[in-house]
Amino acid sequence: MSRVYNFSAGPAILPEEVLKEAALEMLDYHGSGMSVMEMSHRSSWFQEIMDTAEADLRGLMKIPDNYRVLFLQGGASQQFAMIPMNLMKHRVADYIVTGQWAKKAAQEAEKYGEVHVIASSADQTFSYIPDCTDLEISEAADYVYICENNTIYGTKFKELPNTKGKPLVADVSSCFLSEPMDVRNYGVIYGGVQKNIGPAGVVIVVIREDLITEDVLPGTPTMLTYRTHAEADSLYNTPPAYGIYICGKVFQWLKKQGGLEAMKEYNERKAAVLYHYLDQSRLFRGTVVPKDRSLMNVPFVTGDHTLDAKFVKEAEAAGLLNLKGHRSVGGMRASIYNAMPIEGVEALVTFMEKFEKENV
């Protein structure tokens, strides 16, 4: 069977070149006689994989020396607890809720201290990003939290909130490495890799060194303490070795594409193809305020649930998979991450044009 165009929000499409390279190395990685799946995480082979992956990520993101890179487990959802456990020294934090994942993160943080929702777009079904230029930041807040790109609702912070000196913590799971970012504007950047970087099972945390301390909330497990992993260079316990190996290959692929500046340009071109069609379609419409649209996740609807279901079914038959919207919102969603070629987006638009002619 030939490859399909996979529009899944995650686990998601990976570069074909990376998959082919991994397949060639499956039984014998660089003459070791072993697969990376079988390799000791204490071996020199795997240490080289780790070191190269971190160096490549640092180069791509231009990560300053006073930030640590941690390859962890538990996905982005475990960070919902790990962040307050490690950072909520005064038991106060401010959250900006622009979607389901920020909402869940705020609810988890409430177990550890006082959470202030200082801005939200819940009033319009998370279809926009609120003005965050002059928020009422809590004086005692240990950090300000955002989900920078909202996978379910398709919105993206184009300007970061003014945190008035408080550390900014950002979940970037669905926009990780899709465009350049100034790491110095953040205290913590983290993301599950299964959307834009690798297979499920790895979460990458980029954290400023002064935020890695022994002063964590009482009862914080050893495994949920950033210091534990920083001191052990992400090798405190057996890491998600194969997932990290694939991430490393994706980092190398991104370098070959020209880095994050080139990826942003390509992602803008891809998204423009789909948004341009949606803006003039008589059947489909996007659900996000145009200025806040994501380059990665594009939700759209027909306004008719039956017609939405018909579209998803017929699209799948045409080799356009995983276009069904998140169960909480319905409709459709095309996730067009870094590895989605522009030909895939063009094929989707061509199919949408055909469907529109047949159903209007």
Side-chain angles (χ1 to χ4, degrees):
M1 181 180 178
S2 61
R3 295 273 292 170
V4 298
Y5 289 122
N6 177 14
F7 294 94
S8 172
I13 186 171
L14 286 168
E16 196 167 322
E17 178 183 322
V18 166
L19 296 175
K20 287 178 177 176
E21 200 173 297
L24 288 173
E25 294 175 350
M26 178 56 79
L27 297 178
D28 180 8
Y29 176 75
H30 291 198
S32 66
M34 294 177 286
S35 170
V36 175
M37 282 189 185
E38 307 167 293
M39 195 175 281
S40 168
H41 61 296
R42 306 294 181 193
S43 68
S44 59
W45 287 297
F46 188 70
Q47 188 63 58
E48 185 182 11
I49 289 170
M50 285 282 285
D51 292 345
T52 303
E54 179 173 340
D56 286 342
L57 180 61
R58 284 185 172 277
L60 284 164
M61 294 181 71
K62 299 179 172 61
I63 298 173
D65 290 343
N66 65 323
Y67 284 74
R68 297 297 302 272
V69 174
L70 308 177
F71 294 92
L72 306 179
Q73 301 175 67
S77 294
Q78 185 160 283
Q79 293 302 308
F80 297 170
M82 204 164 170
I83 286 158
M85 284 178 169
N86 285 265
L87 304 187
M88 207 186 261
K89 317 294 187 191
H90 301 98
R91 303 272 186 162
V92 179
D94 289 348
Y95 279 67
I96 299 170
V97 176
T98 52
Q100 194 74 7
W101 301 116
K103 183 179 176 182
K104 286 188 175 183
Q107 289 171 341
E108 189 72 11
E110 285 174 352
K111 297 177 180 177
Y112 305 99
E114 192 178 313
V115 170
H116 300 145
V117 176
I118 56 172
S120 174
S121 52
D123 61 329
Q124 293 182 36
T125 325
F126 302 121
S127 60
Y128 71 101
I129 297 293
D131 181 1
C132 297
T133 55
D134 188 22
L135 299 170
E136 289 190 27
I137 306 294
S138 307
E139 192 174 330
D142 291 297
Y143 59 88
V144 177
Y145 182 101
I146 63 170
C147 180
E148 192 160 324
N149 187 89
N150 294 287
T151 322
I152 295 174
Y153 298 95
T155 58
K156 168 75 163 65
F157 279 83
K158 304 296 172 66
E159 291 184 21
L160 295 177
N162 176 5
T163 66
K164 300 178 181 176
K166 302 293 185 180
L168 178 63
V169 176
D171 175 354
V172 299
S173 295
S174 53
C175 61
F176 220 162
L177 303 185
S178 63
E179 59 184 72
M181 60 193 305
D182 188 344
V183 175
R184 295 169 299 180
N185 291 330
Y186 305 79
V188 181
I189 298 165
Y190 77 89
V193 306
Q194 73 276 9
K195 298 177 182 298
N196 214 23
I197 300 175
V202 183
V203 59
I204 296 172
V205 176
V206 179
I207 179 169
R208 209 171 62 212
E209 283 184 338
D210 63 287
L211 299 175
I212 303 171
T213 68
E214 291 179 338
D215 181 20
V216 298
L217 297 190
T220 298
T222 302
M223 275 292 289
L224 298 186
T225 302
Y226 288 129
R227 189 181 179 96
T228 298
H229 300 285
E231 289 182 341
D233 294 322
S234 301
L235 290 169
Y236 173 76
N237 68 322
T238 308
Y242 197 79
I244 294 169
Y245 156 76
I246 297 294
C247 290
K249 289 201 173 295
V250 172
F251 301 156
Q252 290 170 6
W253 176 82
L254 284 167
K255 287 168 67 177
K256 284 186 201 170
Q257 309 313 305
L260 302 191
E261 290 82 3
M263 283 315 305
K264 182 184 182 185
E265 185 182 330
Y266 190 55
N267 288 329
E268 287 174 340
R269 282 174 51 211
K270 286 190 296 183
V273 171
L274 184 48
Y275 284 127
H276 175 72
Y277 170 70
L278 287 171
D279 286 343
Q280 56 81 48
S281 173
R282 291 177 298 137
L283 178 61
F284 301 97
R285 66 172 180 86
T287 58
V288 173
V289 171
K291 71 179 180 64
D292 298 327
R293 285 169 165 171
S294 167
L295 296 179
M296 299 283 96
N297 310 102
V298 184
F300 56 96
V301 295
T302 65
D304 180 325
H305 298 309
T306 303
L307 205 54
D308 287 351
K310 181 184 180 188
F311 173 82
V312 171
K313 185 178 180 181
E314 291 184 10
E316 185 169 338
L320 306 166
L321 269 61
N322 297 311
L323 284 163
K324 186 177 180 180
H326 191 272
R327 62 186 179 276
S328 65
V329 295
M332 285 75 68
R333 172 182 52 181
S335 293
I336 50 176
Y337 298 125
N338 284 346
M340 174 60 69
I342 198 166
E343 292 80 9
V345 181
E346 291 168 344
L348 172 59
V349 168
T350 298
F351 178 79
M352 291 170 77
E353 290 172 336
K354 176 176 177 287
F355 188 87
E356 182 173 322
K357 285 176 185 173
E358 293 171 351
N359 291 276
V360 171

